[in-house]
Amino acid sequence: MQTKPFRIGTRGSPLALAQAHETRDRLMAAHGLTEDMFEIVVLSTQGDRVQDRALAEIGGKGLFTYELEEQLADGRLDFAVHSSKDMPTVLPSGLYISAYLPREDIRDAFIGRTAPTLMELPHGATVGSSSLRRQALIRRLRPDISVVIFRGAVETRLRKLAEGQVDATLLAYAGLKRLGKTDVPTALLDPKDFPPAPAQGAICIESRIGDERTDELLSAINDGPTFDAVTLERAFLATLDGSCRTPIAGYTELDGDRLKFSGTILSPDGTEVHEVAIDGPCSDALALGARAGEIIRAKAGPGFFEGWS
């Protein structure tokens, strides 16, 4: 019987803490455990500490997970809670994604200071975004707009916007909802026109392979439909060797026991776009994602990714 608290690793931003608290609360409800059976351990990651450069310049997505995974691997943590879209496609040996919470809204939120929508921004306006996907999609729709690097926690970006540093910014609507900031967006972007990052809106839990006690704990809160959908999207990313240097978008819709996936890759300037659509049974999620990646890579042709990697 478990007597020591389960140690939950998380980053320290308000959004990361909200996600860790949601995970803890779901586990308490599922198992009838009290709050003192969980200890939330906050760690600072390099991705949090370095805010003046794009992720691609300092090492990519793993910068948000390394410190957590180090303590997870050596047993100082029992499991770690992450935003799924921040997770590298290849995890350290001995670790895996063991559960997903029910997925939130996948859409991007537009937050305009000088206009309520992207298309209504004045000519030559400036939009702040650190995401190469968002930058490329903005340039595809509005090539006249200037896009500048805009990093930091949600609150930091909203403060920079309010200060007038940019005319608008974009954030994941899921994060705003988890922070109780649903009144912040001036528009929500249709995934068909502005597809989200693969795995956007999903909270994942990473733990040690073979840790049966933790697996049993987490299985009670794992959401099967989210697990299947995000497994497909991460397989798509992995096949494309997706990193923070590559503008890649994609999302999965569930239709009964089938998955419908739409994927997009873009050149950083948004002028070259390739798309793929695929569907199949939930049980084939991994294979479907890999196949979608192969199809779109073949469409793009040799050298599409190498030009800016």
Side-chain angles (χ1 to χ4, degrees), residues 5-28:
F6 290 97
R7 291 172 60 84
I8 306 172
T10 180
R11 294 161 58 198
S13 72
L15 178 56
L17 289 171
Q19 295 178 162
H21 287 141
E22 181 180 341
T23 302
R24 179 199 63 192
D25 293 347
R26 286 179 180 273
L27 287 168
M28 287 167 56

Side-chain angles (χ1 to χ4, degrees), residues 108-111 118 127-130 133-134 138 150 157 168-172 189 194:
D108 277 319
F110 180 85
I111 305 141
L118 177 63
V127 177
S129 176
S130 59
R133 172 190 61 86
R134 288 177 181 140
I138 291 166
F150 217 53
R157 297 188 213 188
T169 190
L170 287 85
L171 293 167
L189 298 168
F194 207 97

Side-chain angles (χ1 to χ4, degrees), residues 44-55 57-59 63-64 151-152:
S44 172
T45 69
Q46 189 178 351
D48 296 313
R49 294 189 295 270
V50 181
Q51 293 290 333
D52 59 344
R53 283 173 284 166
L55 286 177
E57 296 178 16
I58 56 174
L63 294 172
F64 286 126
R151 289 198 51 222

Side-chain angles (χ1 to χ4, degrees), residues 209-277:
I209 295 171
D211 183 348
E212 295 179 5
R213 180 193 59 137
T214 299
D215 284 347
E216 183 180 352
L217 178 83
L218 297 174
S219 66
I221 62 168
N222 179 51
D223 184 70
T226 301
F227 196 103
D228 292 338
V230 179
T231 293
L232 191 163
E233 292 166 23
R234 284 177 55 78
F236 174 68
L237 265 184
T239 302
L240 295 174
D241 190 26
S243 72
C244 284
R245 296 179 182 273
T246 316
I248 300 175
Y251 63 98
T252 307
E253 297 175 298
L254 275 77
D255 183 10
D257 62 354
R258 294 183 70 80
L259 300 169
K260 293 182 170 183
F261 174 74
S262 302
T264 306
I265 57 175
L266 307 95
S267 58
D269 63 5
T271 58
E272 187 175 352
V273 181
H274 301 280
E275 297 175 322
V276 62

Side-chain angles (χ1 to χ4, degrees), residues 39-192:
E39 180 185 353
I40 293 177
V41 180
V42 178
L43 296 176
S44 172
T45 69
Q46 189 178 351
D48 296 313
R49 294 189 295 270
V50 181
Q51 293 290 333
D52 59 344
R53 283 173 284 166
L55 286 177
E57 296 178 16
I58 56 174
K61 293 182 178 182
L63 294 172
F64 286 126
T65 60
Y66 177 80
E67 287 84 353
L68 291 162
E69 289 171 334
E70 189 177 42
Q71 294 204 15
L72 188 54
D74 67 18
R76 282 179 283 174
L77 296 174
D78 292 299
F79 53 92
V81 179
H82 306 281
S83 292
S84 300
K85 69 183 179 70
D86 291 337
M87 294 293 284
T89 54
V90 178
L91 302 183
S93 176
L95 302 181
Y96 80 126
I97 295 176
S98 47
Y100 289 93
L101 302 191
R103 195 173 199 170
E104 248 297 355
D105 200 305
I106 65 170
R107 291 175 292 178
D108 277 319
F110 180 85
I111 305 141
R113 186 178 58 83
T114 56
T117 69
L118 177 63
M119 301 312 291
E120 291 177 274
L121 282 175
H123 184 87
T126 301
V127 177
S129 176
S130 59
S131 158
L132 287 192
R133 172 190 61 86
R134 288 177 181 140
Q135 291 174 11
L137 288 167
I138 291 166
R139 289 170 178 142
R140 177 189 183 190
L141 295 168
R142 289 289 307 269
D144 62 293
I145 281 178
S146 173
V147 187
V148 298
I149 298 296
F150 217 53
R151 289 198 51 222
V154 169
E155 293 77 5
T156 303
R157 297 188 213 188
L158 293 177
R159 175 181 53 76
K160 290 178 179 179
L161 175 65
E163 290 171 352
Q165 294 186 26
V166 292
D167 294 292
T169 190
L170 287 85
L171 293 167
Y173 188 41
L176 291 171
K177 289 181 77 174
R178 290 186 177 116
L179 290 169
K181 296 181 181 293
T182 54
D183 59 330
V184 166
T186 55
L188 296 174
L189 298 168
D190 187 331
K192 290 180 174 57

